[in-house]
Amino acid sequence: MKVLVINAGSSSLKYQLYDMTDESVLAKGLVERIGMDSSIVTHKPTGGTEVTEVSEILEHTTAIRKVLSLLTDPEHGVIGSVDEIEAVGHRVVHGGEYFGESALVDGDVKTKIRLLFDLAPLHNPASMMGIKAAESNMNVPQVVVFDTAFHQSMPEHAYLYAIPRVLYSKHKVRRYGAHGTSHEFVSKTAAEFLNRPIEDLKIISCHVGNGASVTAVKGGRSIDTSMGMTPLEGLMMGTRSGDLDPAIVPYVMNKEELTVNEVNSMLNKHSGLLAISGISSDMREITDGMQKGDANSKLAFDMYEYRLRKYIGSYAAVMNGVDVITFTAGVGENSVVLRKKVCENLTYLGVELDDELNEIRSGEPRRISTANSKVEVLVIPTNEELVIARDTNRIVQGLMS
Ligand code: ADP
């Protein structure tokens, strides 16, 4: 079965076409600046040359039409006809309490995604545009895969905030987490890599990139995660503050005469690595700056690392131990220095890093701890699109049988 995976943002649409017979990617690409004066389409057939086009794409339906024409293009295409695509899988950020797993799109599912617009105002409307755009261009089953679904297994004591309970019952204010697709994929892959049943493992999964979160995975289930009602809570990130005293918000709003939108924007877009370094939200530039002796870059790096280590410690505490620590995403997969700094301060847990293994660059799952380490430390490249393609394939195959 060929599955088209779509990740729709408010002005962008990423896609990958999978052949599920061998889980290979036939082509992938990105439509950017949808609705703006000149949209940019980048399409890359596997093994072929990347093509970039500038054209006017005013909404997501036209973007998908463009994608389908590139996928079937005589020169740059990878399939003979759109009919070869048998299913579409969508990434959806927020599944609220409705979705603990992926779902086949129908009227009820669409209604629920709409009901969650309030909780994810930037993301769920965009996902809905992606679903509608695919529907209006193709007549195949569609599946939605939620970033929050894996975390629905969290117990009440982990997902509730210590605020008046009416806010939960009335407005569903609680911890939902994010990056669930990645944490689930990485923890399963870690168990397979170690050849151990996931049911026996206590895993701390660190998804650290521009967005960053840590999850405590016990027996294959998420029991706590650092992101909260929104992806702002938890770790320090590229441009997001992560944890802070909530009293800072009204205080700063008052002192600086900020509106709700302005303070939201400050915490989401102008904080994190960017704010502390004053240089960049990109960990590569921070690391370069630090190595050149820039004090602000060093401070930004130290804070990012320190906060990650604090979460690892607290999740070891909530699980009463840890068997495996995994690193994934842009920083986790690539930053030798971040992994080293985190691990050299976790010796009390029995973590022993193998410096040579840590230096190796690879796109494969790998161990970076020594044979004597009491905790297995692994780097597991994440692949959220593959999870979406697999879930879509499984659900749609189920329909056919
Ligand atoms: P997101 O998906 O949240 O946008 P990614 O997982 O793609 O983020 O991670 C992006 C981050 O990974 C950036 O901060 C980037 O600097 C960092 N990164 C990528 N390569 C390296 C590297 N070699 N060393 C350190 N950081 C890296």
Side-chain angles (χ1 to χ4, degrees):
M1 180 187 293
K2 294 195 177 79
V3 174
L4 180 62
V5 173
I6 290 176
N7 182 352
S10 55
S11 65
S12 70
L13 188 142
K14 286 190 208 149
Y15 63 94
Q16 292 202 11
L17 181 64
Y18 275 88
D19 183 344
M20 295 312 287
T21 48
D22 59 357
E23 297 190 334
S24 58
V25 176
L26 300 175
K28 59 170 132 180
L30 167 67
V31 186
E32 291 168 281
R33 298 175 57 82
I34 298 172
M36 297 176 204
D37 42 3
S38 46
S39 311
I40 305 165
V41 186
T42 313
H43 170 76
K44 171 96 173 70
T46 302
T49 326
E50 184 172 287
V51 279
T52 305
E53 286 181 19
V54 177
S55 60
E56 190 182 60
I57 296 179
L58 292 179
E59 31 80 51
H60 288 65
T61 307
T62 328
I64 297 233
R65 204 171 305 136
K66 181 75 201 164
V67 169
L68 295 176
S69 87
L70 281 164
L71 289 170
T72 51
D73 183 80
E75 202 181 338
H76 308 293
V78 289
I79 47 174
S81 141
V82 171
D83 298 339
E84 287 180 43
I85 303 173
E86 288 180 82
V88 180
H90 296 269
R91 172 183 181 229
V92 181
V93 167
H94 220 302
E97 289 187 332
Y98 296 121
F99 298 102
E101 52 192 37
S102 305
L104 186 72
V105 174
D106 61 14
D108 178 51
V109 166
K110 282 190 278 190
T111 303
K112 286 173 176 156
I113 295 173
R114 267 193 219 101
L115 288 172
L116 294 164
F117 279 9
D118 261 2
L119 280 176
L122 298 177
H123 295 106
N124 275 29
S127 308
M128 202 50 163
M129 286 195 275
I131 295 168
K132 282 197 174 149
E135 257 174 4
S136 61
N137 282 289
M138 304 161 83
N139 189 21
V140 293
Q142 302 195 58
V143 167
V144 276
V145 178
F146 300 92
D147 266 16
T148 49
F150 181 55
H151 302 301
Q152 278 297 295
S153 51
M154 281 186 294
E156 211 175 26
H157 64 253
Y159 72 67
L160 280 184
Y161 291 106
I163 54 178
R165 290 189 71 167
V166 65
L167 295 173
Y168 170 60
S169 52
K170 223 169 137 189
H171 302 297
K172 292 288 165 204
V173 174
R174 52 158 285 178
R175 178 184 310 285
Y176 293 96
H179 294 144
T181 325
S182 175
H183 289 297
E184 184 174 13
F185 174 81
V186 166
S187 48
K188 280 186 180 156
T189 310
E192 281 161 23
F193 177 87
L194 296 168
N195 207 10
R196 289 175 62 183
I198 196 162
E199 292 73 24
D200 295 350
L201 294 175
K202 295 171 182 171
I203 302 174
I204 297 178
S205 167
C206 308
H207 177 115
V208 282
N210 194 21
S213 68
V214 189
T215 297
V217 182
K218 194 174 182 187
R221 291 158 67 82
S222 165
I223 63 155
D224 203 353
T225 193
S226 60
M227 282 179 168
M229 184 175 93
T230 78
L232 181 57
E233 193 182 342
L235 298 174
M236 174 171 162
M237 308 180 214
T239 61
R240 284 175 239 165
S241 64
D243 293 336
L244 80 171
D245 179 346
I248 292 171
V249 175
Y251 184 82
V252 170
M253 283 176 80
N254 188 27
K255 289 280 178 199
E256 294 286 318
E257 294 180 10
L258 298 182
T259 63
V260 170
N261 281 347
E262 284 165 345
V263 78
N264 243 328
S265 163
M266 175 194 90
L267 295 171
N268 279 289
K269 297 187 185 149
H270 305 284
S271 297
L273 288 175
L274 177 63
I276 300 298
S277 70
I279 292 180
S280 170
S281 61
D282 190 308
M283 185 53 100
R284 279 167 294 203
E285 290 183 43
I286 303 293
T287 315
D288 282 353
M290 179 169 73
Q291 280 155 1
K292 287 179 188 138
D294 177 58
N296 292 335
S297 298
K298 178 166 178 349
L299 179 60
F301 177 91
D302 286 349
M303 286 174 66
Y304 187 99
E305 182 275 326
Y306 176 77
R307 285 166 170 234
L308 173 57
R309 190 151 39 90
K310 268 185 22 175
Y311 265 98
I312 293 176
S314 70
Y315 287 167
V318 303
M319 292 195 288
N320 190 17
V322 51
D323 302 305
V324 188
I325 296 173
T326 56
F327 288 97
T328 197
V331 178
E333 290 169 33
N334 296 299
S335 179
V336 173
V337 52
L338 187 273
R339 293 192 304 251
K340 183 175 163 65
K341 189 83 191 290
V342 169
C343 290
E344 72 189 13
N345 288 295
L346 294 176
T347 47
Y348 75 100
L349 289 174
V351 169
E352 213 178 279
L353 189 74
D354 182 318
D355 280 326
E356 273 178 37
L357 293 179
N358 187 37
E359 298 270 349
I360 295 172
R361 296 200 171 270
S362 149
E364 297 297 316
R366 56 198 186 274
R367 177 188 276 109
I368 57 170
S369 48
T370 65
N372 285 332
S373 180
K374 288 203 190 96
V375 179
E376 302 273 7
V377 185
L378 309 178
V379 179
I380 310 273
T382 193
N383 194 339
E384 289 157 290
E385 289 77 14
L386 178 60
V387 177
I388 298 173
R390 281 180 181 167
D391 274 16
T392 305
N393 186 47
R394 178 177 49 79
I395 290 174
V396 174
Q397 293 282 5
L399 281 181
M400 291 170 171
S401 60

